[in-house]
Amino acid sequence: MVPDNQLLLWQQCFMSTMNEDKYEAVIGLEVHAQLLTESKLFCGDSARFGGEPNTHVSPVTLGYPGTLPRLNREAVVLAVKMGIACGCGIEQTNYFARKNYFYPDLPKGYQITQHTTPVCKGGSVKIQVAGSAARRVQLNRIHLEEDAGKSLHDQDALNTCIDYNRAGVPLIEIVSEPDMHSAEEAYAYVTELRKLLRHLNVCDGNMEEGSLRCDANVSIRLKGEKGLGTKVEVKNLNSIRNVKKAIEYEIARMIELAEKGERIIQQTRSFDAATDTTFALRTKEEANDYRYFPDPDLPPFVVTSKMLDAIKATMPALPEALVEKYMHQLNLSEYDARAISDDKEMVDYFEELIRETGHTKAAANWLLGPVKSYLNEQHESLGSLPVRPPVLARLIQLVQDGKLSFSVASSKLFHALLKSPEADPLQLATDLNLLQDADEASVEEWVESVLAKMPEKVAEYKKGKKGLIGLFMGEVKKASGGKADPKIATQLLTKKLGS
Ligand code: ADP
Ligand code: MG
C-alpha cells in the first residue's frame, strides 16, 4: 500500500507540471536606478546615499514656494548612455511632467517625471537562461524622474520620521515590455541590467541601499493565447533573489486561483522576505489619478545629435563586445571571457594589465585564479587590491621567463607583494630567495636526494612504469621549495634514470 501522503505528493507534482504546461506566465519589470551624479536632478544638493537625515536639503528639494528647478545635465547624459547601450531610440525634444499625488515623503506634492516623452524608447536587453538560447527582452522605455524622500517608521515609537536627503535624487526608470515568461528570465534580466548599469557607471546597482529597485508585474494566460491576463504588481523588491521568489510565488498563486475558477484581481502587492510570499497592498479601485501635466517651470531639454555623438565617444566597449574581443583577439575561452566581462572592475583591471603585458592568457589566468581567490577570501574588491596591474604584469613576466615557478609566484611572491605593493617583484623574489634555480649543480642535488629516497619507485620506473616521472618531479619540486627549474629537473631525472 502506498501511504496517503505519498499519493497526495505525486498528485500535486503531476498537477503542477500539468498546470505549467497549460499556463504561460507573462512578466514585465519596472526597474528604478539611482544615477551616479554628484548632485540632485534639479538642484545642487548632494545626491550621495546616506548622510545625517535632512542635511542634503535646500529649499528647492523641500519645494518651497518661489524656488525653481534647474536640470542636471549629467543625469541626462547617464540616461542616454543606458539608452544607447540597450539600443533604444533617443528622443530629441524632451518634456518633464508633474505627477501629482500626496504623500509625506514628497515635499512638493508632485514628482517631476517624463510622461509623454521618455528620453529612451524601445530597445532590448540580451539575457541567457541556463539551458535555453540567448534572447532579447524588449524594452518599452527608459525615462528620467526624481526620487522621493524616505519615511522612517522605526526611529520613534509614536511618530513616523521623514528624511528628505533622497528627495530629488535622479533616477531612470527602465520599463520592459511584458516579454518575460519565467522567474528565471526575470532574474537573468535584472542581473544583466545591473551589469550594464555598473559597466557604464550609470548606477552602483546596490540593491540593499536601494539604488536599484524593482517592481514586478505578473500575469498568466493559457498557453497559445495572445491577449494579456489581469496583472498584479509586486512593489519594491530589494534583491534579485527576491524578484525571482516573488514571481515564482505569484505564478503559483495565480495558477491555483485559475484552477479553482476564481478571478484574479488587479492588485498592488508586497513581498514578505521572511515567508517568501506576497500580500495585497491595494486594489485597482484605489488607484491614483495622477493628473499629469507638463511642468511649467522646466523648459524642454534637447538631446542634439552633437551631444549624442559626444556621449557615444565617452562610452566604454559593452560587455558583449568585450567577450568577442577576448575570445577572438586574445584567444581566451568563452568562460574566461565572460567571467572577466561580467564585472566592471575586472574589465578595468584586465584592460590595464594587458596594456602592460602581452601574455594575455597568463594575465586572465592570474586574474581568475590567484587574484580572484584572494579577493574572495578577504571579501575585498579588485579596486582596492594593493597589487596594481603594472606590478602584476612584472610578476607574470618573471614566470614567463622561467625565473619563478607559477606555484611559488602565486603562493609566495604574490602574497609578499600584497604586503609591499611598491616593491619590484624581481628584487623581492631575490630578497626572499624565491627565484628558480637554473643552476644545474643545485638541481642535481635535489634530484639525487629524491631518487636516493625512493629506490623501489626507481626500480619500478626502470621496469617500464614511466608515468612515475610525475611523482619524481613533484618530489623535486617539494624538496626545492618550488625553486628547481622544471626543465633542468626533467632533463636530469631522465638522464639519471637512464632513459
Ligand atoms: P501601469 O499603467 O499599471 O503602470 P503599464 O502598462 O505602464 O502599467 O506597464 C507597467 C509594467 O507592467 C510594464 O513593465 C509592462 O510590461 C507590465 N505589464 C503590463 N501589462 C502586463 C500584464 N498583463 N502582465 C504582465 N506584465 C504587464
Ligand atoms: Mg507601474
Side-chain angles (χ1 to χ4, degrees):
M1 271 293 283
V2 182
D4 276 358
N5 57 355
Q6 187 84 43
L7 261 183
L8 195 68
L9 206 67
W10 284 345
Q11 205 176 3
Q12 277 172 351
C13 287
F14 178 68
M15 286 285 290
S16 74
T17 40
M18 190 184 76
N19 289 340
E20 271 164 28
D21 287 344
K22 185 169 161 191
Y23 296 99
E24 176 182 54
V26 177
I27 301 151
L29 299 183
E30 295 161 277
V31 173
H32 286 92
Q34 275 180 359
L35 300 179
L36 281 171
T37 54
E38 285 293 319
S39 55
K40 292 187 178 176
L41 187 52
F42 298 112
C43 68
D45 294 344
S46 168
R48 284 282 151 76
F49 174 80
E52 277 297 296
N54 300 307
T55 50
H56 305 166
V57 291
S58 65
V60 184
T61 287
L62 296 175
Y64 281 13
T67 59
L68 283 172
R70 185 157 185 265
L71 179 60
N72 182 341
R73 191 178 189 278
E74 182 61 12
V76 177
V77 169
L78 295 182
V80 168
K81 275 189 182 173
M82 189 59 182
I84 293 172
C86 299
C88 306
I90 307 297
E91 185 81 50
Q92 275 212 329
T93 311
N94 288 265
Y95 300 87
F96 279 106
R98 290 186 183 181
K99 178 178 177 179
N100 298 280
Y101 64 98
F102 175 78
Y103 206 71
D105 65 12
L106 192 73
K108 297 193 293 292
Y110 58 86
Q111 178 197 28
I112 305 179
T113 179
Q114 289 192 288
H115 186 48
T116 51
T117 57
V119 63
C120 313
K121 278 187 181 153
S124 63
V125 173
K126 188 172 169 191
I127 61 163
Q128 169 93 61
V129 170
S132 317
R135 65 173 287 256
R136 305 200 76 96
V137 173
Q138 295 304 311
L139 297 184
N140 175 282
R141 61 197 272 163
I142 301 176
H143 68 252
L144 272 163
E145 61 185 28
E146 56 177 351
D147 210 343
K150 233 189 227 167
S151 306
L152 308 166
H153 305 290
D154 54 0
Q155 305 286 307
D156 186 295
L158 298 175
N159 299 294
T160 289
C161 299
I162 309 272
D163 177 6
Y164 286 124
N165 283 353
R166 200 179 69 178
V169 166
L171 297 175
I172 47 175
E173 181 173 344
I174 305 161
V175 184
S176 85
E177 293 292 350
D179 189 29
M180 284 163 271
H181 300 287
S182 67
E184 288 74 25
E185 283 196 346
Y187 186 94
Y189 170 79
V190 183
T191 306
E192 207 53 42
L193 272 188
R194 186 170 61 169
K195 188 166 92 186
L196 269 179
L197 289 163
R198 283 185 171 161
H199 187 85
L200 297 167
N201 248 333
V202 165
C203 167
D204 67 19
N206 189 333
M207 292 188 86
E208 295 95 74
E209 289 181 358
S211 43
L212 191 68
R213 312 191 286 268
C214 179
D215 303 337
N217 297 271
V218 186
S219 64
I220 57 164
R221 64 186 171 198
L222 287 170
K223 269 214 172 128
E225 256 178 28
K226 287 278 164 278
L228 292 172
T230 305
K231 66 164 176 148
V232 303
E233 180 172 359
V234 189
K235 283 276 186 199
N236 282 329
L237 295 161
N238 63 357
S239 77
I240 306 188
R241 249 176 87 237
N242 287 352
V243 171
K244 183 164 173 269
K245 284 183 170 173
I247 294 172
E248 277 166 356
Y249 179 81
E250 268 314 303
I251 295 173
R253 188 184 69 86
M254 287 178 168
I255 291 180
E256 200 181 318
L257 283 177
E259 283 293 295
K260 283 198 280 192
E262 287 179 30
R263 200 166 61 90
I264 292 162
I265 348 172
Q266 186 164 341
Q267 274 177 337
T268 304
R269 297 177 73 89
S270 187
F271 180 68
D272 179 3
T275 56
D276 287 349
T277 58
T278 68
F279 57 92
L281 288 176
R282 52 185 182 268
T283 58
K284 196 191 175 197
E285 287 69 48
E286 301 153 56
N288 286 303
D289 170 8
Y290 293 118
R291 294 172 291 125
Y292 284 99
F293 64 89
D295 192 311
D297 288 341
L298 283 159
F301 71 88
V302 179
V303 182
T304 59
S305 47
K306 200 170 145 206
M307 186 175 165
L308 207 54
D309 289 342
I311 295 172
K312 278 184 192 155
T314 64
M315 283 175 61
L318 296 176
E320 270 310 304
L322 287 173
V323 170
E324 285 290 303
K325 169 178 154 187
Y326 296 161
M327 284 173 67
H328 299 122
Q329 288 177 26
L330 308 185
N331 284 326
L332 300 190
S333 67
E334 181 175 355
Y335 183 87
D336 288 357
R338 287 202 184 279
I340 294 171
S341 313
D342 272 358
D343 179 338
K344 181 63 183 1
E345 278 191 325
M346 193 89 93
V347 169
D348 291 344
Y349 195 99
F350 184 66
E351 287 286 320
E352 195 181 338
L353 191 55
I354 59 176
R355 276 197 294 276
E356 303 276 342
T357 173
H359 304 293
T360 50
K361 182 76 190 147
N365 288 344
W366 266 92
L367 206 52
L368 297 170
V371 172
K372 200 170 166 199
S373 4
Y374 169 79
L375 294 173
N376 288 347
E377 275 161 31
Q378 302 295 315
H379 303 289
E380 272 195 44
S381 74
L382 202 46
S384 57
L385 186 77
V387 178
R388 301 315 302 161
V391 173
L392 188 61
R394 275 187 278 161
L395 181 55
I396 290 172
Q397 194 57 47
L398 290 180
V399 178
Q400 294 295 325
D401 290 347
K403 292 208 167 67
L404 205 61
S405 72
F406 174 77
S407 69
V408 169
S410 57
S411 65
K412 298 197 176 131
L413 189 54
F414 176 61
H415 292 269
L417 279 168
L418 286 166
K419 294 198 190 82
S420 334
E422 304 299 327
D424 172 51
L426 178 58
Q427 189 57 52
L428 195 58
T430 313
D431 295 348
L432 296 172
N433 193 22
L434 296 176
L435 289 183
Q436 207 148 253
D437 223 319
D439 167 24
E440 263 203 55
S442 36
V443 181
E444 190 164 6
E445 261 176 52
W446 287 313
V447 165
E448 278 175 354
S449 73
V450 163
L451 296 181
K453 264 197 308 190
M454 317 177 97
E456 287 135 49
K457 297 284 175 205
V458 171
E460 282 178 44
Y461 179 92
K462 288 187 172 163
K463 275 191 215 143
K465 212 169 164 192
K466 302 292 179 212
L468 283 171
I469 191 82
L471 174 80
F472 298 133
M473 274 300 289
E475 289 299 314
V476 171
K477 198 171 149 191
K478 240 192 265 169
S480 69
K483 287 173 57 188
D485 183 302
K487 251 191 252 141
I488 297 177
T490 320
Q491 278 166 11
L492 286 171
L493 272 172
T494 40
K495 194 169 116 199
K496 287 188 186 293
L497 288 162
S499 60

